[in-house]
Amino acid sequence: MMRTVRCIEVFCLGLLILAGGSSIAETPTIIFRLPESFSELPPTVSSSLAKEGCRIPQATIERKIVATNVISGEFAQKNQTDWAILCSKDGRSYIRVFWGGAAHCPSRIDKGRDISPEDIAQGLEFDRALGTVDKSFILQHYQAYGGPKPPTITHLGINYVYLEKASVVHFCHNDKWLELTGAD
């Protein structure tokens, strides 16, 4: 009974926040921001994210936001500014990329469940974060840990991080995403 009441409270809180136009929603374990709360996002990107129902989970440590999960960089080629956003919809996460020019890879990278029921029961926080990585980072981590050999690196990669644990680098190459070695 208590679980049902708590779920109803969280659902109602979410409805109240959405109805009130607030830019922050919260579950017991994840703090979300709505796309329109990021003034740095181009309006076309923000409105596209809102239309697809993207909520942006905030990576936290001890309930303090340490990563907003909105990044920009040259993810397909030099001198082309692209945007990558970690989105959550229906309890699942994906990286949504908006391309600033003709060079691109698929615009969505699925990442799986936001957080497991077991993690929620333990009160764990959302620990996924996006960052940018350059040639130096990619080569250092490849040399230290092995993994797939990186191609020639002329632009940035997207680092998908499990805070205080590990990461994987998504690198756009020849119109497809490569998964390269990140932090271990």
Side-chain angles (χ1 to χ4, degrees), residues 49 52 54-55 57 85-89 92-94 96:
L49 291 170
E52 69 185 56
C54 170
R55 298 182 311 157
I85 298 93
L86 184 60
C87 287
S88 174
K89 184 174 181 182
R92 299 191 63 81
S93 293
Y94 58 96
R96 179 70 161 84

Side-chain angles (χ1 to χ4, degrees), residues 31-44:
I31 298 170
F32 294 96
R33 287 180 60 190
L34 299 176
E36 57 270 19
S37 73
F38 290 90
S39 60
E40 65 270 28
L41 281 174
T44 55

Side-chain angles (χ1 to χ4, degrees), residues 101-167:
H104 68 280
C105 279
S107 296
R108 183 175 167 142
I109 305 169
D110 289 317
K111 298 311 295 177
R113 182 181 284 157
D114 284 339
I115 194 165
S116 74
E118 295 80 21
D119 291 342
I120 290 170
Q122 293 176 21
L124 298 179
E125 298 178 87
F126 189 79
D127 65 351
R128 281 24 97 46
L130 295 184
T132 61
V133 292
D134 61 10
K135 179 179 182 175
S136 174
F137 178 97
I138 292 169
L139 293 178
Q140 285 175 0
H141 285 79
Y142 169 68
Q143 290 165 356
Y145 305 113
K149 183 176 182 182
T152 300
I153 300 169
T154 60
H155 56 274
L156 298 173
I158 299 171
N159 199 24
Y160 182 72
V161 180
Y162 289 84
L163 296 175
E164 301 178 331
K165 295 177 187 101
S167 73

Side-chain angles (χ1 to χ4, degrees), residues 34-113:
L34 299 176
E36 57 270 19
S37 73
F38 290 90
S39 60
E40 65 270 28
L41 281 174
T44 55
V45 171
S46 181
S47 64
S48 290
L49 291 170
K51 283 180 190 168
E52 69 185 56
C54 170
R55 298 182 311 157
I56 303 167
Q58 306 298 282
T60 58
I61 296 176
E62 296 178 13
R63 303 298 290 164
K64 290 184 173 54
I65 296 172
V66 296
T68 61
N69 290 323
V70 170
I71 59 173
S72 66
E74 299 170 341
F75 302 130
Q77 72 178 13
K78 201 162 180 58
N79 299 319
Q80 174 181 300
T81 301
D82 310 304
W83 288 88
I85 298 93
L86 184 60
C87 287
S88 174
K89 184 174 181 182
D90 300 326
R92 299 191 63 81
S93 293
Y94 58 96
I95 300 171
R96 179 70 161 84
V97 183
F98 290 85
W99 303 104
H104 68 280
C105 279
S107 296
R108 183 175 167 142
I109 305 169
D110 289 317
K111 298 311 295 177
R113 182 181 284 157

